[in-house]
Amino acid sequence: MSSIYSGRIEISIFGESHGAAIGAVLDGIPAGEKIDFEQVNLQMQRRAPGQSDTATERKESDRPKVISGVLNGHTTGAPICGIIENENAEPKSYENPKNLVRPGHADYTAHVKYRGFNDARGGGHLSGRLTAALTFCGAICRQILERRGVLIGAHVYSIFDVFDDRFGVEIPAELLRRLSREAFPVINAEAKGQMVQKILWAKSEGDSVGGIIECAVGNVPPGLGDPMFGGIESKLSALVFAIPAVKGIEFGAGFAAANMLGSQNNDAFVLRGDKISTKTNNHGGILGGISSGMPIVFRCAVKPTPSIAKQQDTVNIKTNQPTKISASGRHDPCIVPRAVPVVGAVSAIAVLDFFKEANLL
């Protein structure tokens, strides 16, 4: 399985949803960086299950045990290995339907790819549970960037047909800091209550809903990244799509640019003091794959949780017969709020990678 991100910063993810543990090895982090594990645990808790009625009932403390790479609160330059024990796994809940491929999941494709030898319990290594390991890596990278003035904030932009405000051209630092602390972050507080009600409605119907996450990275210096395959969009998208529920991504104006005139989409250059900037940010802080100095802004679409109580058609892969299935076990009626810190985490990994490429660490 391809579970390694290879750049100037390297990540290797291991474990299964209902195995003994999950974790990650983070390599390429410079020596001497102070790591505040209270801040690491804050990001882990934002993603952790069992926090509210809008999330799965599975409860996990998700406190990583770091076994290498950090000594006396500082990085040593060695690979950082963090292990997260699965304290509340229920592998037996997947025994009865183990031959029934779940609609919307990777059960069928993984069964074919790995000739039936994959761990299918809760998706195994393909489960969204593995995003806890990504969050651990990103929480470390985020602190290193913050000391260099780079702030990352993401929020729930939409749940089904309920929308929050969008980031403006100028994004206050305090807004990014606030969003990076909250469990259900929104810009407009009034949107949150409506979103929660929409999630609970879907849950009461035995169904689920998806949504959109918007993320901003502020104070990125101009000149990071390369055109084509080494561009910021290319590498950041690759990491965002490591989040299993993500189905689409757009930067700046995104797909809306297709319905604009060039005169509408172009961001006019201006001087703010002695700094070159733009009036608008339809380019999302990236031109030609290279950072412009404006905030990097993107949105990603998160699909509805595929495990639902409603009965659905499927096939028994052992008997090759059609049958019915409804979800057992514990599942989120909406994964969007818990995916927000993961989106922030992978953004931190990508941007730190570009900082190291530019010798800014």
Side-chain angles (χ1 to χ4, degrees), residues 101 106-118 317-318:
V101 288
D107 296 349
Y108 172 68
T109 51
H111 176 79
V112 174
K113 174 75 174 179
Y114 303 110
R115 298 174 294 151
F117 289 100
N118 58 296
I317 54 176
K318 185 175 182 179

Side-chain angles (χ1 to χ4, degrees), residues 80-207:
I80 300 171
C81 179
I83 295 177
I84 306 161
E85 293 183 356
N86 289 328
E87 299 169 342
N88 197 14
E90 287 187 355
K92 290 184 178 179
S93 65
Y94 294 92
E95 284 299 316
N96 290 333
K98 67 179 180 180
N99 294 318
L100 307 185
V101 288
R102 298 170 297 166
H105 283 280
D107 296 349
Y108 172 68
T109 51
H111 176 79
V112 174
K113 174 75 174 179
Y114 303 110
R115 298 174 294 151
F117 289 100
N118 58 296
D119 183 347
R121 301 171 301 174
H125 189 68
L126 287 74
S127 169
R129 173 110 182 95
L130 276 294
T131 60
L134 281 174
T135 303
F136 165 73
C137 294
I140 291 174
C141 295
R142 179 193 288 265
Q143 293 185 37
I144 298 170
L145 288 171
E146 285 181 351
R147 281 195 286 273
R148 288 156 177 84
V150 176
L151 298 175
I152 299 172
H155 68 109
V156 180
Y157 173 56
S158 76
I159 296 291
F160 198 55
D161 57 359
V162 180
F163 289 83
D164 188 17
D165 297 338
R166 276 172 59 160
F167 287 122
V169 177
E170 296 185 19
I171 307 174
E174 184 48 45
L175 174 60
L176 295 178
R177 290 191 182 98
R178 175 176 70 80
L179 296 176
S180 70
R181 295 190 298 263
E182 296 179 354
F184 198 128
V186 292
I187 295 175
N188 184 346
E190 292 183 4
K192 180 178 175 179
Q194 299 175 51
M195 290 176 174
V196 170
Q197 290 304 310
K198 187 66 68 170
I199 295 171
L200 295 178
W201 165 78
K203 183 178 181 180
S204 70
E205 295 289 315
D207 220 321

Side-chain angles (χ1 to χ4, degrees), residues 277-293:
S277 185
T278 58
K279 283 186 179 180
T280 51
N281 194 19
N282 291 324
H283 67 289
I286 307 164
L287 292 166
I290 303 168
S291 61
S292 70

